Amino acid sequence: MTSWRGVSTARRYDLYSHEFRRSTHETYARMRAESPVHLQPGLDGETPIWFVTRYDDVVTVLRDNERFVLDPKLALTPEELAALREGGPEPDERVSENLLSKDRDDHRRLRRLVTKAFTPRIVEQLRPRIQELADDLVDRVVERGHMELVDDFAFPLPITVIAELLGIPAEDQGRFRVWSNTFVLPPMTPELQEQAARHMQEFVEYLDALFARRRAEPTEDLVSALVRAENEGDHLSENELYSMVVLLIVAGHETTVSLIANAVLALLSNPDQLVELRADPSLLPSAVEELLRYDSPVERGITRWAAADVELGRRLISRGDFVIPVLGSANRDGERFPAADELHLARADGRHVGFGRGPHFCLGAPLARLETEIALETLWRRLPNLRLAIAEEDLYWRPIPIFRSLASLPVAWDV
Ligand code: HEM
């Protein structure tokens, strides 16, 4: 495709390859300078998408749920919707009727059901358990002198926490990694599509059985609370119940893991900052915000639809177009953050968009912050002289477009 509504859509920036993963921040810097609201094909090489890379424009997209929406029904005519559905696979409503596919009233109704479980006050009560889990994970490896930080620490910590919150039995947690991956890896080949459908089916069957058990015998977990809301006609349909639990599992699997790993890498690559943090642990909360800004694990927000014609960054986005707010780029915008490419843990202004902004601001932010604080404090308290065990240029970033996520992070320490 070379033109879309009169705008050239040649693929000018490489935004998906392995090469891009090595030069992510440089690429976004060029986009902010040359074409901050930029139209080019997405991953499939065909569908035109507007990539929004400057901080102010990204904030506009995130906050404005009148003009930028997640529910295509609010942006497209019934005919356009029907044509869209013809072109691609039917969305599976058992897993897609969630907070990140709704706007306005529908969104508020769903969000109200889960807000209470994630307030900073409630989350703070989890501190002793999260600390215990972090120490247990370190106990398992401390004598060894090395570990693969993603698999041995960054992954099991938040996964266990979210699984315990939801009430998923420990012995089943391993299967959730496979299922969760299915949701975030783009199924680009027929084989992958078939595999994704199979995993989705297994996941839904598992949840069927879990919901049935909680209906028969409710416990104190979040799944029981949601099942109760569905039973009591508290405006939660069956599809919405499935979708909510799936979203919480996926959000809990794919995000904090990357924040912990990216944060450890950033600290090891900026030893002066690490020294400051170790000298003054009261820096920890602002350090977590800065680490989120510096290498944002959710690199691209969810794709929005333009619900009206909108002028943004002197470009005209037409109703029905796709728009991606690039959070990882906004967070490196030098117009907003002085010396944006440098890590300054004491940076006072934490108004980054690493957790989004506006109506869809991350529900799990208090939990993610607490987990990451505990993770970093525990690692540096328990593992003397923690260091990278391979050269930084040999690290491999997973090829998942919306996340900035390391496949592995081998580290070592003195024993
Ligand atoms: C470091 C970890 C995390 C990061 C960086 C992160 C980032 C984000 C971002 C950027 C959004 C908004 C997406 C958009 O508007 O396009 C979001 C939404 C959301 N996040 Fe997180 N997240 C993290 C952890 C979590 C955790 C642990 C949970 C749950 C247990 C969670 C649950 C959610 C939910 C439910 C939404 C949708 C909120 C809504 O639409 O109202 N997140 N997150």
Side-chain angles (χ1 to χ4, degrees):
M1 170 166 308
T2 53
S3 157
W4 169 254
R5 296 181 176 147
V7 182
S8 157
T9 60
R11 209 179 224 183
R12 187 162 147 200
Y13 299 98
D14 166 14
L15 297 178
Y16 294 101
S17 71
H18 289 300
E19 196 39 54
F20 162 72
R21 281 278 152 234
R22 294 181 175 281
S23 56
T24 302
H25 292 300
E26 291 82 350
T27 305
Y28 289 145
R30 277 198 293 125
M31 291 177 81
R32 287 194 302 276
E34 297 166 358
S35 184
V37 176
H38 180 77
L39 187 69
Q40 72 168 40
L43 180 60
D44 65 2
E46 286 179 15
T47 314
I49 298 178
W50 292 98
F51 290 86
V52 178
T53 48
R54 281 191 185 160
Y55 181 89
D56 288 346
D57 295 335
V58 164
V59 169
T60 299
V61 172
L62 294 174
R63 293 181 78 111
D64 186 346
N65 69 349
E66 289 300 317
R67 295 186 303 169
F68 298 101
V69 295
L70 293 165
D71 182 350
K73 291 199 278 303
L74 299 174
L76 304 181
T77 63
E79 296 72 36
E80 288 168 337
L81 260 179
L84 177 80
R85 298 264 146 88
E86 254 169 43
E90 261 308 293
D92 187 336
E93 290 179 349
R94 289 168 307 176
V95 293
S96 60
E97 295 280 300
N98 65 34
L99 289 165
L100 286 173
S101 65
K102 307 273 187 193
D103 304 273
R104 307 173 201 166
D105 287 349
D106 265 351
H107 172 257
R108 274 190 288 274
R109 169 177 59 81
L110 286 181
R111 185 148 171 145
R112 249 200 312 270
L113 290 168
V114 278
T115 311
K116 269 185 280 172
F118 291 96
T119 61
R121 199 174 54 84
I122 295 288
V123 163
E124 184 58 33
Q125 293 170 8
L126 301 173
R127 183 183 284 275
R129 176 65 182 139
I130 300 174
Q131 185 62 64
E132 182 184 21
L133 288 169
D135 276 314
D136 279 356
L137 290 167
V138 172
D139 285 344
R140 287 185 210 175
V141 294
V142 65
E143 297 299 330
R144 222 201 275 161
H146 64 91
M147 69 170 150
E148 198 287 275
L149 188 115
V150 174
D151 270 357
D152 292 335
F153 186 81
F155 188 81
L157 181 65
I159 294 343
T160 311
V161 173
I162 192 69
E164 289 185 359
L165 259 177
L166 286 164
I168 293 161
E171 64 271 20
D172 297 335
Q173 288 170 19
R175 298 153 80 187
F176 281 78
R177 185 173 196 175
V178 179
W179 292 332
S180 169
N181 237 296
T182 291
F183 284 91
V184 297
L185 280 175
M188 293 301 281
T189 62
E191 293 76 41
L192 283 175
Q193 277 164 16
E194 199 184 301
Q195 179 185 303
R198 204 175 53 246
H199 286 163
M200 200 89 87
Q201 188 56 31
E202 286 169 14
F203 200 173
V204 169
E205 279 166 17
Y206 179 91
L207 291 180
D208 264 338
L210 179 68
F211 294 160
R213 287 204 301 277
R214 292 296 183 265
R215 275 193 193 102
E217 224 171 290
T219 49
E220 282 304 302
D221 54 53
L222 192 53
V223 164
S224 299
L226 290 169
V227 165
R228 207 159 39 237
E230 189 213 6
N231 276 350
E232 289 166 3
D234 204 356
H235 314 297
L236 183 70
S237 72
E238 190 172 5
N239 284 341
E240 289 170 345
L241 169 66
Y242 280 94
S243 305
M244 178 80 83
V245 173
V246 168
L247 174 64
L248 291 173
I249 291 167
V250 173
H253 268 68
E254 303 292 339
T255 51
T256 319
V257 183
S258 309
L259 177 57
I260 294 172
N262 296 3
V264 168
L265 176 63
L267 290 169
L268 292 175
S269 317
N270 289 271
D272 58 320
Q273 292 297 298
L274 181 58
V275 168
E276 272 185 37
L277 180 61
R278 300 202 63 192
D280 178 7
S282 73
L283 269 182
L284 208 45
S286 82
V288 169
E289 299 309 307
E290 173 67 350
L291 290 158
L292 255 162
R293 182 198 71 80
Y294 183 76
D295 230 347
S296 311
V298 178
E299 183 179 304
R300 301 179 190 172
I302 305 292
T303 307
R304 268 77 173 160
W305 303 81
D309 293 349
V310 186
E311 201 191 316
L312 191 72
R314 288 203 237 130
R315 304 298 296 272
L316 186 68
I317 298 176
S318 300
R319 183 190 60 76
D321 286 357
F322 288 114
V323 180
I324 293 186
V326 185
L327 312 178
S329 168
N331 282 336
R332 291 284 190 115
D333 186 342
E335 298 283 312
R336 178 63 185 75
F337 300 99
D341 288 329
E342 293 169 20
L343 182 74
H344 289 294
L345 300 183
R347 209 182 267 276
D349 177 2
R351 294 285 284 165
H352 62 77
V353 287
F355 284 130
R357 181 72 62 82
H360 293 281
F361 181 81
C362 177
L363 179 81
L367 180 60
R369 286 179 170 128
L370 181 63
E371 289 172 343
T372 308
E373 279 183 31
I374 291 175
L376 297 180
E377 192 280 328
T378 307
L379 287 172
W380 266 283
R381 176 169 45 80
R382 304 259 336 253
L383 305 176
N385 195 17
L386 186 71
R387 56 189 177 272
L388 264 187
I390 62 170
E392 194 170 334
E393 51 277 18
D394 293 336
L395 291 172
Y396 179 77
W397 298 91
R398 293 161 79 203
I400 300 180
I402 70 169
F403 294 117
R404 181 150 174 87
S405 156
L406 283 164
S408 67
L409 185 62
V411 291
W413 56 91
D414 298 339
V415 282

